[in-house]
Amino acid sequence: MTITSYNPADPDDLVVSVEEPGAEAVRSAVLRARAAQRGWLGAGAGARSAALGRIADAVDAHAGELAALIVREVGKPLAEARGEVARTAAIWRYYAQAPYAAGGEVHETAGGPGLLLTRRRPYGVAGLIAPWNFPLAIPSWKAAPALAVGNTVVLKPAPEATACALRLAELAVSAGLREDVFTVLPGGAEEGAALVEAADVVSFTGSTGVGRAVVRAATERGTPVQAELGGLNAALVLPDADIALAAEHIAAAVAGYAGQKCTATSRIIAVGAAYGPLKEALVKALAAVDDSVCGPVINAGARERLVGAVVSAVEAGATLLHGGAVPERPGWYVEPTLLTDVPAEHPLAREEFFGPIAVLHAAADLDEAIELANDTPHSLATSVHTRGLDAALAAADRLDAGMIRVNAPSSGVDFHLPFGGTKGASHGDREQGRAALDFYTVGRTVSVLPGGSL
């Protein structure tokens, strides 16, 4: 079998084609990574810190090339691609300091001489499965903390992001990492399953169905696993909000990178008198979105699924307020789309569609808006738009979401803070920040007592 990756804006442009290595190649790569792990850990904090810093420098040095590759391979608008490259370098630079962080604590004994301490130690080989929508940043925010604390890494990228992952691995090797310390293996379901079966700790980001299978397989082996899955994210707009600004923020969160972010907004809840003005402002804001913000969806199948969902929703009684059509030009483009009156049982009201589509709802008051926002099987990020501190605090306290952003788009992430959702959106420990360092290590308690009488 062959892995192929095509340009979403120009479907005739083949970006890369590689042979699938197969499950045995994955198992062999994990064995080599496990053999290399002792030396990587034993080199010490200084060596690991310097290596991660050099990767950050290499990303910076090739920023233009990497941004162009992201645009070509996954269709990300250029400004977002440049932002992702800058963030990728910042992630590696942030975790370059982690090897020097305290790896435990010293405690007093309950009685008598001796030393009690806790230590956090790496598991061995981290098996990482990454999606295509952030083809450099997500592999980096998985790999960098795993490497920082002394694990070696085997990464399986999504097929649609193969070229980006391979280039990141080349830069890591050029920065001085041995290939067995940071290995990238392209592949599909077979390779992913083999990696989950062989690795010592597993981190996954992708679809809900595949993620649940990964969690089951890892759990059955007793392997620590974290998984970031789908998210159905809401934006709440209160009557006292700056409606025009809220509409701009929400339009960016709906249509930015064609809605292909796990933090994108797909449900908009207007509270009370905000409904009419917000509806008008949203239509205006979405009409102003162009290719420099939106771009194509990842492939033809994604476009067909999105357009089909809009058609079926309208047939079921929904009102199309904006968009819904396919532009007549090459590439897998879909117009940013806003609907209202979508039946509660329709999939658009309950499922993540990963595209530039949002549904507008009305709520009588903040209580009903929070109830609507929480009525979802998975929630990662929720935004709240209001000038009122009381409303903002109430929403922050009562919203069932992993990240709550007040007067900002839902689609923002701070890489130095914990990242994850609620209910079906996440499994296991959080990613990013110091939380990632804890996930990729296991705690040990050590007692050191005198060897003879005093």
Side-chain angles (χ1 to χ4, degrees):
M1 296 285 291
T2 302
I3 292 291
T4 56
S5 177
Y6 287 89
N7 182 344
D10 181 5
D12 293 328
D13 176 22
L14 177 62
V15 180
V16 68
S17 176
V18 297
E19 292 298 317
E20 289 185 350
E24 187 55 41
V26 174
R27 288 188 282 268
S28 296
V30 170
L31 288 175
R32 293 193 300 271
R34 190 169 289 120
Q37 189 265 333
R38 180 176 295 184
W40 172 245
L41 176 64
R48 297 198 302 278
S49 175
L52 270 59
R54 289 194 299 269
I55 295 174
D57 292 341
V59 171
D60 276 337
H62 294 83
E65 169 210 335
L66 292 172
L69 182 58
I70 291 173
V71 171
R72 183 183 175 208
E73 185 166 40
V74 300
K76 186 165 286 193
L78 180 58
E80 284 217 25
R82 288 171 172 164
E84 180 174 347
V85 173
R87 173 166 296 212
T88 298
I91 289 167
W92 286 101
R93 196 160 280 120
Y94 170 77
Y95 284 111
Q97 303 307 307
Y100 292 113
E105 297 178 336
V106 176
H107 299 261
E108 292 294 324
T109 63
L115 182 67
L116 298 180
L117 55 93
T118 61
R119 299 187 75 190
R120 299 203 65 84
R121 308 302 289 164
Y123 284 100
V125 179
L128 312 179
I129 301 176
W132 49 261
N133 59 332
F134 287 86
L136 294 182
I138 292 181
S140 294
W141 84 44
K142 291 179 183 294
L147 291 166
V149 295
N151 297 282
T152 51
V153 161
V154 177
L155 166 68
K156 193 207 79 67
E160 298 89 344
T162 297
C164 288
L166 290 174
R167 186 65 181 123
L168 179 62
E170 290 174 353
L171 293 178
V173 171
S174 73
L177 258 66
R178 285 177 47 192
E179 186 174 344
D180 292 339
V181 171
F182 182 28
T183 305
V184 171
L185 280 180
E190 178 185 352
E191 288 77 11
L195 183 56
V196 173
E197 292 172 0
D200 302 310
V201 59
V202 173
S203 179
F204 170 90
T205 300
S207 69
T208 299
V210 176
R212 287 173 177 166
V214 167
V215 169
R216 283 195 300 270
T219 302
E220 287 174 358
R221 292 183 59 234
T223 302
V225 57
Q226 65 180 188
E228 295 300 330
L229 313 174
L232 193 61
N233 307 308
L236 281 62
V237 182
L238 278 75
D240 66 345
D242 182 326
I243 298 296
L245 180 60
E248 289 180 11
H249 285 166
I250 294 169
V254 170
Y257 188 31
Q260 297 172 124
K261 303 176 184 178
C262 53
T263 54
T265 295
S266 52
R267 303 165 72 220
I268 306 161
I269 304 170
V271 179
Y275 184 87
L278 179 64
K279 179 172 72 171
E280 181 180 345
L282 282 170
V283 171
K284 181 179 179 181
L286 287 170
V289 171
D290 59 20
D291 287 350
S292 67
V293 174
C294 188
V297 296
I298 191 64
N299 54 39
R303 184 174 69 178
E304 292 172 6
R305 181 172 50 84
L306 292 165
V307 173
V310 173
V311 170
S312 69
V314 172
E315 290 175 347
T319 301
L320 182 63
L321 299 176
H322 183 269
V326 173
E328 294 184 3
R329 57 190 169 112
W332 294 309
Y333 291 88
V334 178
E335 289 181 349
T337 301
L338 180 66
L339 303 107
T340 190
D341 304 319
V342 174
E345 66 276 8
H346 192 274
L348 274 178
R350 302 296 299 168
E351 300 174 12
E352 180 188 44
F353 271 77
F354 225 57
I357 299 176
V359 177
L360 178 62
H361 302 269
D365 53 28
L366 180 60
D367 288 341
E368 184 181 356
I370 292 174
E371 184 178 350
L372 279 172
N374 289 343
D375 184 21
T376 173
H378 42 212
S379 181
L380 178 58
T382 299
S383 65
V384 181
H385 304 266
T386 179
R387 288 189 175 100
L389 179 59
D390 288 350
L393 291 175
D397 185 53
R398 294 165 54 195
L399 283 168
D400 192 4
M403 293 179 291
I404 299 165
R405 293 170 57 81
V406 179
N407 295 323
S410 66
S411 53
V413 174
D414 296 294
F415 64 81
H416 57 299
L417 294 177
F419 175 85
T422 60
K423 295 180 279 192
S426 296
H427 174 89
D429 293 349
R430 294 304 199 218
E431 291 198 279
Q432 303 199 90
R434 290 199 56 82
L437 303 178
D438 288 340
F439 171 70
Y440 288 111
T441 54
V442 60
R444 295 177 181 170
T445 298
V446 179
S447 304
V448 181
L449 303 179
S453 59
L454 294 179

